Amino acid sequence: MDPYSAEGELINIHNHFHQGQYQEVVDYDVSTLSSENELPARVLQLRARIALGQAEDALADVTGEKEPELQAIAALAEQALGNSDKAVGIIEKLAQSAADNTTVQVVGGTVLQAAGKSEEALALLSQHQGSLDAVALIVQVHLQQNRTDLAVKEVTAARRWAQDSLLVNLAESWVGLRLGGEKYQQAFYVFEELAQAPATSSVRSLVSQAVAELHLGRTEEAQAALDQALKKEPKFAEAIANLLVLNVIAGKDTAEQRTLLEATDAQHPLLVDLAEKSDLFDKAAAKYSAKASA
Amino acid sequence: MQSASGMLTKFESKSSRAKGIAFHPKRPWILVSLHSSTIQLWDYRMGTLIDRFEEHDGPVRGVDFHKTQPLFVSGGDDYKIKVWSYQTRRCLFTLNGHLDYIRTVFFHNELPWIVSASDDQTIRIWNWQNRSLLCTMTGHNHYVMCAQFHPKDADLVVSASLDQTVRVWDISGLRKKHSAPASIYESQMNQANQQQADMFGNTDAVVKFVLEGHDRGVNWVSFHPTMPLIVSAGDDRLIKLWRMSETKAWEVDTCRGHFQNASGCLFHPHQDLILSAGEDKTIRVWDLNKRTAVHTFKRENDRFWVIAAHPEINLFAAGHDNGVMVFKLERERPASAVYQNQLFYITKEKHVKSYDLQKNVESPTLLSLKKLGSPWVPPRTLSYNPAERSVLVTSPADGGSYELINLPRDGTGAIEPTESKRGSGNSAIFVARNRFAVLNTAAQTIDIKDLQNNVTRSFKPPLGTSDIYFGGTGNLLIITPTAVHLYDVQQKKTTAELAVNGVKYVVWSNDGLYAALLSKHNVTIVTKTLEQVSTLHETIRIKSATWDDAGVLLYSTLNHVKYTLLNGDNGIVRTLDQTVYLVRVKGRNVYCLDRAAKPRILQIDPTEYRFKLALVKRNYEGMLHIIQNSSLVGQSIISYLQKKGYPEIALQFVQDPTTRFELAIECGNLEVAVEMAKQLDRPKLWTRLSAEALAHGNHSIVEMCYQKLKHFDKLSFLYLTTGDEAKLTRMAKIAEHRGDFGSRFQNALYLGEVEDRIQMFKEIDLYPLAYMTAKAHGLEDECQSILEASGLTEDQLNLPTFGEPLTPPKPLVPTYKANWPTKATSQSFFEKALLGQMEGLSLEDESAAVNGVGEEAEEDGAKRGLLGDGEEEEDAGAWDMGDDVVPEVEEGLVDVGTAEAGGAGSSEADLWARNSPLAVDHAAGGSFETAMQLLNRQVGAVNFAPLKPRFLEVYQASKTYLPASAGLPPLVNYVRRTVEESDLRKVLPIIPRDLEYLAEHDLQQGYKCMKNNKLEEGVALFKNILHSLLVNAVDSEDEVSEAKKVITAAAEYTLAMSIELERRSLGTPDAVSADPELLKRNLELAAYFTIPKIGVAHRQLALSNAMTQSMRNKNYSSALSFANRIISNGDANGALAKLLEAARRNKATCERNPHDAVEIEFDQFAEFEICAASYTPIYSGTAYEECAFDGSKYHTKYKGTVCKVCEVCEVGKHGSGLKLFA
């Protein structure tokens, strides 16, 4: 039986992970799990720790381990520490030896995609055997490649065999935010449901809810959700970034969020992108000038 | 019981056999006449026996309430008809005449008549007002078991007899004779005639129809209230239905089913049903139209003898061997659900309707549920899913079933649902957007189903689960008879449990933080994690509840609307004349559904609970607002406040001096206490006040109290301690005056007055003491005079040794002069507020301080120089100017469906550039080159640097960052202004600071700068507006012209402010007046400042400025023209009265000498505009160039330079015009 399914032992820890409740994952009591689920649970906990910014600890934890799962985790930790080449190296090796391992696929896919190797990531992920984690990742890769059409296909296929799963709902909502129209509202429902129930709420889902509301044009509600998120975790870069966007839309001053974002995550896509666009502007503007100077 | 779901027993009594029953038409009372000769009066709501009437001898078989009078009638086996008053609780009189047992007695609905049926084979009609027998109807040849008036038609009586017939009697003759309005004489005549007529045989009442069909005796017969139908019940175990016309009557059908004598029957007052009761211990319900059995209710041991219906409400009563039961056939609670401002409910006709709680309008029927369940069973619950606009309806029919139906967008009459999913279950509710839970009580399972009605998961709830409710997102509240469980559907486990008995309904607060659990007599408030907050008990049934937005629970009982706060404080809001089910509170309106499933609005006064809520939350402003705006008085609120420890607040409500005094003492408000004590002037109060004042250290009040109480000793001591010697002396005087030596001595001691003491001792003949006193103080002369007076010498005295004489203490601090120190008493917020001492406590405008937009004037690089000479873009002329060709769109529209292989696609942002010819959309998509190209072509934009902030702003606004998988960067999504659109060929990005925003914020801000003389800031603001509008999009052609107006205004203001700034930069006033060149320029610029088309109020400022400058430099002619313009502009809103006055004054001065001292280039009569670069006039008729964007004018020599106003466009370069709307 699939340990992540509704009846499985790992359902809760797995859901916590995907709901972004990383601390709950780390704190999860794994002592009661059956022996075959110990490793997957450990993998989840290690991934959660990396997500919490404890990549070094996680790396130390898995150093010297032989299991491909843990080696993949080592790669993920390296990636998080900025050693992208080393991480990709590990994964490429694993992809040769243990490509059928789900954890290798999922974690490897993450590492490859984070390193910008989308095609390789997709190649690795597509070998999965009914893993929703892999499906969700594939969806995200497609979306990052702006291939909404392929993402839609992937989700629709997954919905057929795993209807009630959290991951399918999430992936569908990600796609929904690209498709727009009525899908905005549906995505909003999914995120709101997660964000507002105390058992499932996390900063990530709160931010997701806020994003959906931004897309729906409901700035005040989005503001409320972001405030809620920032109250929980004041240094959550995504919350700051989206608050910045929100303030731009509302015509407010954004200097505060900008400095905050620069302080928390200088490499945030928003900042990188903006710097790039700023250069582009200057370059483009330089092509024009007045005929006469006064 | 065959169908337990149908009957709801409301009340049961235990007694001997009940033979007759009658409902009170208005009050919740039922009369029961017993075989044991007693008549009982019950309150079936409270379940209490109100009274017993025991004057009959032997069984009492018939009883009836009068419809309007406080009367009832009874008839028994003692042949007597008794008329009773239930107010005075006694029998008023007895009507004698029947010769055998009386079976039934009934009042007439309008006339003062009683009809009685008796075993003496007669039916008699009596007048209870003059206590006479009007008519005896003979014809039955066996016991008459029942006789009733027709409820509407005054001329008909129906009777049933053991002679196996039912007879309908026409009593019109009797009515004409007795009810016609008549003089006393006539009525006397009639009475005389009546005797006579009887002698000739009875023509007052004649048999109209004899109905034969029962083949045993007939026990009961009833008319239908509106239709010409009769129903009868007989010992042949049959219920027969008869119909009559004007001329004849016939049997319609028979209802077979009772297997013993049928003893009673009646028509349902509102529905097409017949109810019958029999000795087979059953009550049966029949369909009037099909004559088929609908329900059967069986009792184990009790034979039924009689059945009755309440005339108004859905209640029935049946008498049996061991008492009476009151019951309903069906639940009357309409199934309903509220979502935001929509109430969805199911009417009695089983139509789903909605009601807009904001607009107070009822929708037409959205859906008909006629086919749901059995026709006689109303749906039980309704659950609404806003995401799918669907409803989930449950019905108790067939052992419980549910149906999931989509609502149509708008109702157009009774539509049968086209598509519905159904299944069996006792409760069904939505738990998420796409999931609902179904409880099956028999199997004790809960299924979570998706909208396709497929089970997605299933689990066993706790034992004995009777109902389920929504428990917050992802949770269920599971109700068992003794507890409520909060169940996490995902984790499949109970996360919290609370022991509460018999919960029937759950009502969530609007914010989802609290829930009220309603059981029959209790309300328990819990948090969303099922922690108990408070609980309260009602003796009467609780019907429904709803939450106020502020967190107050309003609930309805059978006859009240009440409230409870979270802390358990509760009270009555209003009384109800009929049972209602609350759905929503909004201000003073309570929305509810009545039993007929009609939405109603009740008016309530929320003051009391709002006040208490404010009190609990210590929201003093709120309380103050309530105090000032409503007449909140009354003993209850005062005692409430006092009890809750807020005497100082209670004090504000009280008028009665005694209470005020008490409260004032309690809260230490001495001023009020003194005031009240003065008013009442009672020693007891002064005593209390003195004690309290002493405790406060307020000695002046203490003094006043002692004075009032004439406590001289205490006063003296008080003066001593406060050091008030003057008053102490007066006290001594008073003591002397009063002849109170003790007091006098005391005062003298306090004062240190030795002589006075000696004098006093002498006065009371205590010479030894006087001597000793004198001696001790060394007053030898005095000693001698005492000795002389007493005729003794010093030798004869045996003196003790003296110590130091006592000197009285001398005050160091004149405490008496001021009331200090006193105990600190905090003046309550209320006193301050009510005394008007609180500054700025206005409840209306609290946002005054919040001043919307801050400094919007971005440092937009307005001062940046031009960007070098770069290559010329003149060859843009090769492009077709009139056409908005979107640059660089080579391929057609992107078809997302075709691409199959991998590889990256184009992002939505890329599409914006393809979808729109507006520069702003290109900028939002990050395609800055094309955006610039467009602007260059449209308005000749060449200097883009000032637009950079706007470009980046627009670019940033349209991208959000969605955190997706862990370890990967967030997913970028694109915010659209076309929210509803999902066709990728039509989507467009959101634009921050659109026209509306700019007009409402920035523009006003700019005006404010003008008014406040902050010109640098103003210029920056207006330029920013120009830049923002240059890169923008609007929704319609109308808005385009609106935008153009704003652009022109911003340009004019920029020009005006720039001119004035230029003038100010000439130098200090002294430097300027020293240099004739500068002076001339100064005056010219001041004059030009008045030229741009800015708002009149602002123009006045410019004119005033110009006038002042001119006056100062004796340019009276110019000054005169400015003054004239100021005066002709007038003063629209009266804000510039001073200015106007100055203008008039100056005008007078100037007219005396209308000459300019300095010749300037300003012709007040010529028409001209100002060159925005040189700030010199461009006279009408001369050639000029302009900026294609903002329309500012330039001398021709400035062609090709960058516009000074917008700082972006090239002067004289004409483009295709700014495009803001595609």
Side-chain angles (χ1 to χ4, degrees), chain B residues 333-353:
Chain B
R333 175 183 298 262
S336 69
V338 182
Y339 173 71
Q340 288 173 356
N341 278 312
Q342 292 283 318
L343 163 69
F344 296 87
Y345 60 99
I346 302 176
T347 64
K348 286 283 168 216
E349 295 78 40
K350 290 203 193 179
H351 290 170
V352 179
K353 286 191 174 188

Side-chain angles (χ1 to χ4, degrees), chain B residues 711-879:
Chain B
H711 281 175
F712 297 104
D713 299 354
K714 287 184 175 176
L715 261 179
S716 299
F717 190 72
L718 180 72
Y719 292 141
L720 177 72
T721 51
T722 56
D724 195 344
E725 283 188 70
K727 288 218 172 121
L728 208 50
T729 318
R730 282 240 308 277
M731 286 309 293
K733 288 259 165 58
I734 291 167
E736 191 177 347
H737 196 71
R738 284 191 300 136
D740 182 339
F741 292 101
S743 173
R744 198 172 147 191
F745 178 75
Q746 191 187 13
N747 282 313
L749 207 56
Y750 290 161
L751 284 164
E753 296 271 2
V754 183
E755 285 86 354
D756 194 38
R757 282 208 310 270
I758 297 166
Q759 185 58 35
M760 193 191 78
F761 283 137
K762 286 201 281 196
E763 275 173 39
I764 52 173
D765 289 339
L766 286 175
Y767 286 97
L769 280 175
Y771 179 80
M772 291 300 284
T773 309
K775 191 79 186 166
H777 288 84
L779 299 171
E780 290 301 329
D781 296 351
E782 196 62 47
C783 291
Q784 283 313 310
S785 73
I786 295 168
L787 283 177
E788 275 164 30
S790 54
L792 288 171
T793 58
E794 204 167 337
D795 320 336
Q796 290 169 292
L797 300 173
N798 192 7
L799 289 172
T801 48
F802 293 109
E804 277 295 299
L806 191 68
T807 46
K810 288 288 168 208
L812 293 174
V813 182
T815 314
Y816 65 94
K817 283 188 181 157
N819 244 342
W820 184 88
T822 50
K823 185 172 145 194
T825 51
S826 57
Q827 203 171 23
S828 80
F829 175 87
F830 285 91
E831 291 165 69
K832 285 184 213 160
L834 293 171
L835 292 172
Q837 289 174 357
M838 299 274 290
E839 291 294 325
L841 187 96
S842 63
L843 295 150
E844 286 76 27
D845 49 354
E846 47 212 0
S847 59
V850 188
N851 204 344
V853 199
E855 261 76 76
E856 265 293 331
E858 296 170 32
E859 329 62 84
D860 57 355
K863 297 285 171 273
R864 267 182 229 195
L866 300 171
L867 258 183
D869 292 10
E871 65 255 72
E872 294 201 351
E873 279 290 308
E874 184 62 16
D875 56 355
W879 294 80

